[in-house]
Amino acid sequence: MFSLLELRFLGADSILKSRFINAQNLKENDITKMVIENLHNYLNGETPKYDVPLKPCGADFFKRVWVSVQGIPYGQTRSYKDIAKSISYPKASRAVGVANHKNPILIFIPCHRVIGSNNKLTGYACGLELKTKLLEIEGVKVDKKNLSVESIESNLPKLAFKGIK
């Protein structure tokens, strides 16, 4: 069984790079077809299915953050502090930011939905311009002048840490 390990945007022309377990070269298979279909649907404003099996590599803390981030509903945002609280590290907001920066599977682990507790857009490995575009695709209203979103809808029970498989 193949699982997606990494998906990144490289350079300004948004070339996608993917690495797969037990795959030497990127070949068309069921996983690549699902990735392409999910990305196509997402970029066309459809709520994604996210049915691609993921296996991100990283420290246990990072994995806990990524599981929590996957619980943020499409079209909503959460703060770094919300994520830190959801994984029982309430003072680890900065560490959550580091984990998001190291996120190897962009969009499928939607770290672009994580913002500052003051509703400001802060760091994104591919830049704030792309973070803004991804949030806008999801219908989040972004104030481009102040790089902020209108509000954070808090629904922390949906972010409860469920464990790492």
Side-chain angles (χ1 to χ4, degrees):
M1 177 68 168
F2 293 103
S3 297
L4 185 63
L5 288 176
E6 183 172 345
L7 176 69
R8 297 219 178 249
F9 294 96
L10 300 176
D13 51 274
S14 297
I15 299 169
L16 297 177
K17 169 187 167 188
S18 300
R19 252 185 16 218
F20 297 87
I21 295 176
N22 299 327
Q24 304 224 344
N25 299 312
L26 181 60
K27 296 177 183 174
E28 188 170 306
N29 59 40
D30 291 342
I31 298 296
T32 58
K33 287 177 186 176
M34 286 192 307
V35 168
I36 291 166
E37 181 182 335
N38 274 258
L39 286 173
H40 175 78
N41 292 343
Y42 176 83
L43 294 172
N44 285 300
E46 298 174 32
T47 304
K49 290 186 278 184
Y50 293 136
D51 53 359
V52 176
L54 306 178
K55 189 166 181 151
C57 296
D60 288 342
F61 177 83
F62 290 1
K63 290 177 183 178
R64 291 181 72 169
V65 169
W66 299 333
V67 167
S68 183
V69 168
Q70 286 178 280
I72 303 171
Y74 180 88
Q76 294 184 27
T77 58
R78 298 293 185 272
S79 71
Y80 294 93
K81 186 175 184 177
D82 290 337
I83 301 299
K85 286 180 181 178
S86 76
I87 61 168
S88 302
Y89 286 91
K91 296 183 182 209
S93 298
R94 288 184 183 191
V96 167
V98 171
N100 277 352
H101 185 74
K102 300 285 187 180
N103 174 6
I105 309 175
L106 301 175
I107 298 177
F108 292 88
I109 300 175
C111 60
H112 61 277
R113 296 179 189 154
V114 183
I115 61 174
S117 57
N118 60 359
N119 291 358
K120 295 274 187 184
L121 297 187
T122 57
Y124 187 62
C126 294
L128 292 179
E129 183 178 351
L130 182 57
K131 184 173 188 167
T132 299
K133 286 180 182 177
L134 294 174
L135 290 171
E136 288 176 335
I137 286 171
E138 297 184 20
V140 175
K141 296 196 185 323
V142 179
D143 177 349
K144 291 180 183 173
K145 181 180 177 186
N146 296 312
L147 284 179
S148 63
V149 297
E150 288 189 2
S151 66
I152 297 175
E153 295 181 33
S154 190
N155 194 350
L156 294 179
K158 287 185 179 179
L159 291 177
F161 174 67
K162 295 179 184 166
I164 300 168
K165 294 183 179 183

PDB file of all heavy atoms in Angstrom, residues 109-134:
ATOM      1  N   ILE A 109      -2.700  18.418   4.693  1.00  0.00           N
ATOM      2  CA  ILE A 109      -2.581  18.818   6.101  1.00  0.00           C
ATOM      3  C   ILE A 109      -2.653  20.342   6.027  1.00  0.00           C
ATOM      4  O   ILE A 109      -1.656  21.003   5.748  1.00  0.00           O
ATOM      5  CB  ILE A 109      -1.267  18.334   6.744  1.00  0.00           C
ATOM      6  CG1 ILE A 109      -1.181  16.809   6.701  1.00  0.00           C
ATOM      7  CG2 ILE A 109      -1.172  18.846   8.190  1.00  0.00           C
ATOM      8  CD1 ILE A 109       0.140  16.234   7.197  1.00  0.00           C
ATOM      9  N   PRO A 110      -3.842  20.913   6.229  1.00  0.00           N
ATOM     10  CA  PRO A 110      -4.107  22.310   5.863  1.00  0.00           C
ATOM     11  C   PRO A 110      -3.564  23.354   6.843  1.00  0.00           C
ATOM     12  O   PRO A 110      -4.315  24.115   7.454  1.00  0.00           O
ATOM     13  CB  PRO A 110      -5.637  22.351   5.784  1.00  0.00           C
ATOM     14  CG  PRO A 110      -6.068  21.336   6.801  1.00  0.00           C
ATOM     15  CD  PRO A 110      -5.036  20.243   6.732  1.00  0.00           C
ATOM     16  N   CYS A 111      -2.239  23.437   6.940  1.00  0.00           N
ATOM     17  CA  CYS A 111      -1.626  24.391   7.861  1.00  0.00           C
ATOM     18  C   CYS A 111      -1.889  25.839   7.446  1.00  0.00           C
ATOM     19  O   CYS A 111      -1.717  26.746   8.255  1.00  0.00           O
ATOM     20  CB  CYS A 111      -0.139  24.117   8.017  1.00  0.00           C
ATOM     21  SG  CYS A 111       0.786  24.231   6.492  1.00  0.00           S
ATOM     22  N   HIS A 112      -2.364  26.049   6.219  1.00  0.00           N
ATOM     23  CA  HIS A 112      -2.718  27.413   5.796  1.00  0.00           C
ATOM     24  C   HIS A 112      -3.916  27.931   6.578  1.00  0.00           C
ATOM     25  O   HIS A 112      -4.157  29.138   6.614  1.00  0.00           O
ATOM     26  CB  HIS A 112      -2.995  27.464   4.286  1.00  0.00           C
ATOM     27  CG  HIS A 112      -4.131  26.600   3.852  1.00  0.00           C
ATOM     28  ND1 HIS A 112      -3.977  25.246   3.602  1.00  0.00           N
ATOM     29  CD2 HIS A 112      -5.438  26.888   3.632  1.00  0.00           C
ATOM     30  CE1 HIS A 112      -5.148  24.743   3.244  1.00  0.00           C
ATOM     31  NE2 HIS A 112      -6.056  25.722   3.255  1.00  0.00           N
ATOM     32  N   ARG A 113      -4.649  27.057   7.255  1.00  0.00           N
ATOM     33  CA  ARG A 113      -5.808  27.454   8.060  1.00  0.00           C
ATOM     34  C   ARG A 113      -5.428  27.921   9.453  1.00  0.00           C
ATOM     35  O   ARG A 113      -6.290  28.309  10.230  1.00  0.00           O
ATOM     36  CB  ARG A 113      -6.798  26.294   8.165  1.00  0.00           C
ATOM     37  CG  ARG A 113      -7.386  25.890   6.834  1.00  0.00           C
ATOM     38  CD  ARG A 113      -8.350  24.732   6.970  1.00  0.00           C
ATOM     39  NE  ARG A 113      -8.731  24.243   5.649  1.00  0.00           N
ATOM     40  CZ  ARG A 113      -9.129  23.003   5.397  1.00  0.00           C
ATOM     41  NH1 ARG A 113      -9.216  22.126   6.379  1.00  0.00           N
ATOM     42  NH2 ARG A 113      -9.430  22.653   4.161  1.00  0.00           N
ATOM     43  N   VAL A 114      -4.149  27.866   9.773  1.00  0.00           N
ATOM     44  CA  VAL A 114      -3.685  28.269  11.110  1.00  0.00           C
ATOM     45  C   VAL A 114      -3.172  29.707  11.027  1.00  0.00           C
ATOM     46  O   VAL A 114      -2.332  30.029  10.189  1.00  0.00           O
ATOM     47  CB  VAL A 114      -2.596  27.317  11.640  1.00  0.00           C
ATOM     48  CG1 VAL A 114      -2.189  27.717  13.062  1.00  0.00           C
ATOM     49  CG2 VAL A 114      -3.088  25.873  11.605  1.00  0.00           C
ATOM     50  N   ILE A 115      -3.716  30.545  11.912  1.00  0.00           N
ATOM     51  CA  ILE A 115      -3.401  31.975  11.896  1.00  0.00           C
ATOM     52  C   ILE A 115      -3.038  32.442  13.303  1.00  0.00           C
ATOM     53  O   ILE A 115      -3.186  31.691  14.269  1.00  0.00           O
ATOM     54  CB  ILE A 115      -4.598  32.795  11.347  1.00  0.00           C
ATOM     55  CG1 ILE A 115      -5.820  32.606  12.233  1.00  0.00           C
ATOM     56  CG2 ILE A 115      -4.909  32.387   9.902  1.00  0.00           C
ATOM     57  CD1 ILE A 115      -7.001  33.483  11.874  1.00  0.00           C
ATOM     58  N   GLY A 116      -2.595  33.680  13.416  1.00  0.00           N
ATOM     59  CA  GLY A 116      -2.279  34.246  14.719  1.00  0.00           C
ATOM     60  C   GLY A 116      -3.540  34.443  15.555  1.00  0.00           C
ATOM     61  O   GLY A 116      -4.642  34.586  15.028  1.00  0.00           O
ATOM     62  N   SER A 117      -3.388  34.468  16.870  1.00  0.00           N
ATOM     63  CA  SER A 117      -4.552  34.638  17.746  1.00  0.00           C
ATOM     64  C   SER A 117      -5.189  36.018  17.605  1.00  0.00           C
ATOM     65  O   SER A 117      -6.307  36.241  18.040  1.00  0.00           O
ATOM     66  CB  SER A 117      -4.185  34.352  19.204  1.00  0.00           C
ATOM     67  OG  SER A 117      -3.127  35.176  19.608  1.00  0.00           O
ATOM     68  N   ASN A 118      -4.490  36.944  16.951  1.00  0.00           N
ATOM     69  CA  ASN A 118      -5.040  38.274  16.677  1.00  0.00           C
ATOM     70  C   ASN A 118      -5.695  38.326  15.288  1.00  0.00           C
ATOM     71  O   ASN A 118      -5.972  39.399  14.776  1.00  0.00           O
ATOM     72  CB  ASN A 118      -3.940  39.329  16.784  1.00  0.00           C
ATOM     73  CG  ASN A 118      -2.805  39.085  15.803  1.00  0.00           C
ATOM     74  OD1 ASN A 118      -2.805  38.116  15.048  1.00  0.00           O
ATOM     75  ND2 ASN A 118      -1.826  39.976  15.815  1.00  0.00           N
ATOM     76  N   ASN A 119      -5.947  37.150  14.704  1.00  0.00           N
ATOM     77  CA  ASN A 119      -6.551  36.981  13.379  1.00  0.00           C
ATOM     78  C   ASN A 119      -5.620  37.368  12.233  1.00  0.00           C
ATOM     79  O   ASN A 119      -6.048  37.428  11.086  1.00  0.00           O
ATOM     80  CB  ASN A 119      -7.875  37.741  13.239  1.00  0.00           C
ATOM     81  CG  ASN A 119      -8.977  37.157  14.079  1.00  0.00           C
ATOM     82  OD1 ASN A 119      -8.782  36.142  14.750  1.00  0.00           O
ATOM     83  ND2 ASN A 119     -10.129  37.765  14.050  1.00  0.00           N
ATOM     84  N   LYS A 120      -4.368  37.635  12.510  1.00  0.00           N
ATOM     85  CA  LYS A 120      -3.410  38.004  11.455  1.00  0.00           C
ATOM     86  C   LYS A 120      -2.876  36.750  10.779  1.00  0.00           C
ATOM     87  O   LYS A 120      -2.667  35.718  11.412  1.00  0.00           O
ATOM     88  CB  LYS A 120      -2.228  38.782  12.038  1.00  0.00           C
ATOM     89  CG  LYS A 120      -2.599  40.117  12.627  1.00  0.00           C
ATOM     90  CD  LYS A 120      -2.619  41.172  11.573  1.00  0.00           C
ATOM     91  CE  LYS A 120      -2.834  42.536  12.218  1.00  0.00           C
ATOM     92  NZ  LYS A 120      -2.957  43.578  11.244  1.00  0.00           N
ATOM     93  N   LEU A 121      -2.658  36.886   9.462  1.00  0.00           N
ATOM     94  CA  LEU A 121      -1.993  35.814   8.745  1.00  0.00           C
ATOM     95  C   LEU A 121      -0.515  35.886   9.095  1.00  0.00           C
ATOM     96  O   LEU A 121       0.100  36.939   8.997  1.00  0.00           O
ATOM     97  CB  LEU A 121      -2.154  35.984   7.236  1.00  0.00           C
ATOM     98  CG  LEU A 121      -3.566  35.925   6.676  1.00  0.00           C
ATOM     99  CD1 LEU A 121      -3.516  35.945   5.159  1.00  0.00           C
ATOM    100  CD2 LEU A 121      -4.313  34.707   7.159  1.00  0.00           C
ATOM    101  N   THR A 122       0.011  34.791   9.534  1.00  0.00           N
ATOM    102  CA  THR A 122       1.433  34.735   9.853  1.00  0.00           C
ATOM    103  C   THR A 122       2.026  33.577   9.074  1.00  0.00           C
ATOM    104  O   THR A 122       1.305  32.763   8.517  1.00  0.00           O
ATOM    105  CB  THR A 122       1.652  34.531  11.365  1.00  0.00           C
ATOM    106  OG1 THR A 122       0.982  33.330  11.762  1.00  0.00           O
ATOM    107  CG2 THR A 122       1.114  35.692  12.170  1.00  0.00           C
ATOM    108  N   GLY A 123       3.299  33.476   9.043  1.00  0.00           N
ATOM    109  CA  GLY A 123       4.082  32.522   8.280  1.00  0.00           C
ATOM    110  C   GLY A 123       3.375  31.421   7.534  1.00  0.00           C
ATOM    111  O   GLY A 123       2.356  30.903   7.958  1.00  0.00           O
ATOM    112  N   TYR A 124       3.937  31.103   6.405  1.00  0.00           N
ATOM    113  CA  TYR A 124       3.524  29.958   5.604  1.00  0.00           C
ATOM    114  C   TYR A 124       4.746  29.586   4.770  1.00  0.00           C
ATOM    115  O   TYR A 124       5.381  30.462   4.175  1.00  0.00           O
ATOM    116  CB  TYR A 124       2.322  30.310   4.713  1.00  0.00           C
ATOM    117  CG  TYR A 124       1.734  29.125   3.984  1.00  0.00           C
ATOM    118  CD1 TYR A 124       1.185  28.059   4.673  1.00  0.00           C
ATOM    119  CD2 TYR A 124       1.735  29.074   2.597  1.00  0.00           C
ATOM    120  CE1 TYR A 124       0.641  26.971   4.015  1.00  0.00           C
ATOM    121  CE2 TYR A 124       1.189  27.983   1.921  1.00  0.00           C
ATOM    122  CZ  TYR A 124       0.644  26.943   2.635  1.00  0.00           C
ATOM    123  OH  TYR A 124       0.109  25.860   1.975  1.00  0.00           O
ATOM    124  N   ALA A 125       5.073  28.319   4.740  1.00  0.00           N
ATOM    125  CA  ALA A 125       6.301  27.883   4.071  1.00  0.00           C
ATOM    126  C   ALA A 125       6.375  28.352   2.621  1.00  0.00           C
ATOM    127  O   ALA A 125       7.455  28.607   2.108  1.00  0.00           O
ATOM    128  CB  ALA A 125       6.423  26.357   4.140  1.00  0.00           C
ATOM    129  N   CYS A 126       5.235  28.506   1.966  1.00  0.00           N
ATOM    130  CA  CYS A 126       5.216  28.935   0.559  1.00  0.00           C
ATOM    131  C   CYS A 126       4.872  30.408   0.410  1.00  0.00           C
ATOM    132  O   CYS A 126       4.625  30.871  -0.700  1.00  0.00           O
ATOM    133  CB  CYS A 126       4.221  28.093  -0.219  1.00  0.00           C
ATOM    134  SG  CYS A 126       4.706  26.370  -0.318  1.00  0.00           S
ATOM    135  N   GLY A 127       4.844  31.142   1.512  1.00  0.00           N
ATOM    136  CA  GLY A 127       4.587  32.571   1.457  1.00  0.00           C
ATOM    137  C   GLY A 127       3.142  32.941   1.763  1.00  0.00           C
ATOM    138  O   GLY A 127       2.220  32.157   1.547  1.00  0.00           O
ATOM    139  N   LEU A 128       2.967  34.156   2.265  1.00  0.00           N
ATOM    140  CA  LEU A 128       1.640  34.615   2.658  1.00  0.00           C
ATOM    141  C   LEU A 128       0.710  34.821   1.473  1.00  0.00           C
ATOM    142  O   LEU A 128      -0.511  34.723   1.613  1.00  0.00           O
ATOM    143  CB  LEU A 128       1.743  35.900   3.487  1.00  0.00           C
ATOM    144  CG  LEU A 128       2.388  35.730   4.860  1.00  0.00           C
ATOM    145  CD1 LEU A 128       2.458  37.067   5.589  1.00  0.00           C
ATOM    146  CD2 LEU A 128       1.625  34.714   5.700  1.00  0.00           C
ATOM    147  N   GLU A 129       1.264  35.089   0.296  1.00  0.00           N
ATOM    148  CA  GLU A 129       0.416  35.262  -0.887  1.00  0.00           C
ATOM    149  C   GLU A 129      -0.324  33.958  -1.203  1.00  0.00           C
ATOM    150  O   GLU A 129      -1.535  33.967  -1.454  1.00  0.00           O
ATOM    151  CB  GLU A 129       1.245  35.713  -2.084  1.00  0.00           C
ATOM    152  CG  GLU A 129       0.406  35.980  -3.322  1.00  0.00           C
ATOM    153  CD  GLU A 129       1.243  36.477  -4.505  1.00  0.00           C
ATOM    154  OE1 GLU A 129       2.445  36.789  -4.332  1.00  0.00           O
ATOM    155  OE2 GLU A 129       0.668  36.546  -5.599  1.00  0.00           O
ATOM    156  N   LEU A 130       0.385  32.838  -1.156  1.00  0.00           N
ATOM    157  CA  LEU A 130      -0.264  31.554  -1.414  1.00  0.00           C
ATOM    158  C   LEU A 130      -1.224  31.197  -0.275  1.00  0.00           C
ATOM    159  O   LEU A 130      -2.319  30.693  -0.526  1.00  0.00           O
ATOM    160  CB  LEU A 130       0.763  30.445  -1.620  1.00  0.00           C
ATOM    161  CG  LEU A 130       0.179  29.070  -1.942  1.00  0.00           C
ATOM    162  CD1 LEU A 130      -0.708  29.108  -3.183  1.00  0.00           C
ATOM    163  CD2 LEU A 130       1.286  28.044  -2.119  1.00  0.00           C
ATOM    164  N   LYS A 131      -0.836  31.469   0.964  1.00  0.00           N
ATOM    165  CA  LYS A 131      -1.719  31.209   2.100  1.00  0.00           C
ATOM    166  C   LYS A 131      -3.029  31.973   1.920  1.00  0.00           C
ATOM    167  O   LYS A 131      -4.118  31.426   2.112  1.00  0.00           O
ATOM    168  CB  LYS A 131      -1.032  31.619   3.414  1.00  0.00           C
ATOM    169  CG  LYS A 131      -1.832  31.307   4.663  1.00  0.00           C
ATOM    170  CD  LYS A 131      -1.012  31.593   5.923  1.00  0.00           C
ATOM    171  CE  LYS A 131      -1.700  31.109   7.164  1.00  0.00           C
ATOM    172  NZ  LYS A 131      -0.822  31.101   8.341  1.00  0.00           N
ATOM    173  N   THR A 132      -2.927  33.237   1.508  1.00  0.00           N
ATOM    174  CA  THR A 132      -4.110  34.060   1.264  1.00  0.00           C
ATOM    175  C   THR A 132      -4.981  33.438   0.184  1.00  0.00           C
ATOM    176  O   THR A 132      -6.202  33.315   0.342  1.00  0.00           O
ATOM    177  CB  THR A 132      -3.689  35.490   0.852  1.00  0.00           C
ATOM    178  OG1 THR A 132      -2.944  36.065   1.930  1.00  0.00           O
ATOM    179  CG2 THR A 132      -4.892  36.355   0.541  1.00  0.00           C
ATOM    180  N   LYS A 133      -4.367  33.014  -0.922  1.00  0.00           N
ATOM    181  CA  LYS A 133      -5.137  32.425  -2.027  1.00  0.00           C
ATOM    182  C   LYS A 133      -5.839  31.140  -1.592  1.00  0.00           C
ATOM    183  O   LYS A 133      -6.992  30.909  -1.964  1.00  0.00           O
ATOM    184  CB  LYS A 133      -4.228  32.160  -3.223  1.00  0.00           C
ATOM    185  CG  LYS A 133      -3.837  33.426  -3.946  1.00  0.00           C
ATOM    186  CD  LYS A 133      -2.926  33.155  -5.122  1.00  0.00           C
ATOM    187  CE  LYS A 133      -2.529  34.475  -5.770  1.00  0.00           C
ATOM    188  NZ  LYS A 133      -1.597  34.289  -6.876  1.00  0.00           N
ATOM    189  N   LEU A 134      -5.155  30.304  -0.825  1.00  0.00           N
ATOM    190  CA  LEU A 134      -5.772  29.058  -0.372  1.00  0.00           C
ATOM    191  C   LEU A 134      -6.958  29.333   0.543  1.00  0.00           C
ATOM    192  O   LEU A 134      -8.007  28.690   0.428  1.00  0.00           O
ATOM    193  CB  LEU A 134      -4.734  28.176   0.327  1.00  0.00           C
ATOM    194  CG  LEU A 134      -3.611  27.641  -0.559  1.00  0.00           C
ATOM    195  CD1 LEU A 134      -2.570  26.910   0.283  1.00  0.00           C
ATOM    196  CD2 LEU A 134      -4.141  26.747  -1.664  1.00  0.00           C
TER     197      LEU A 134
END
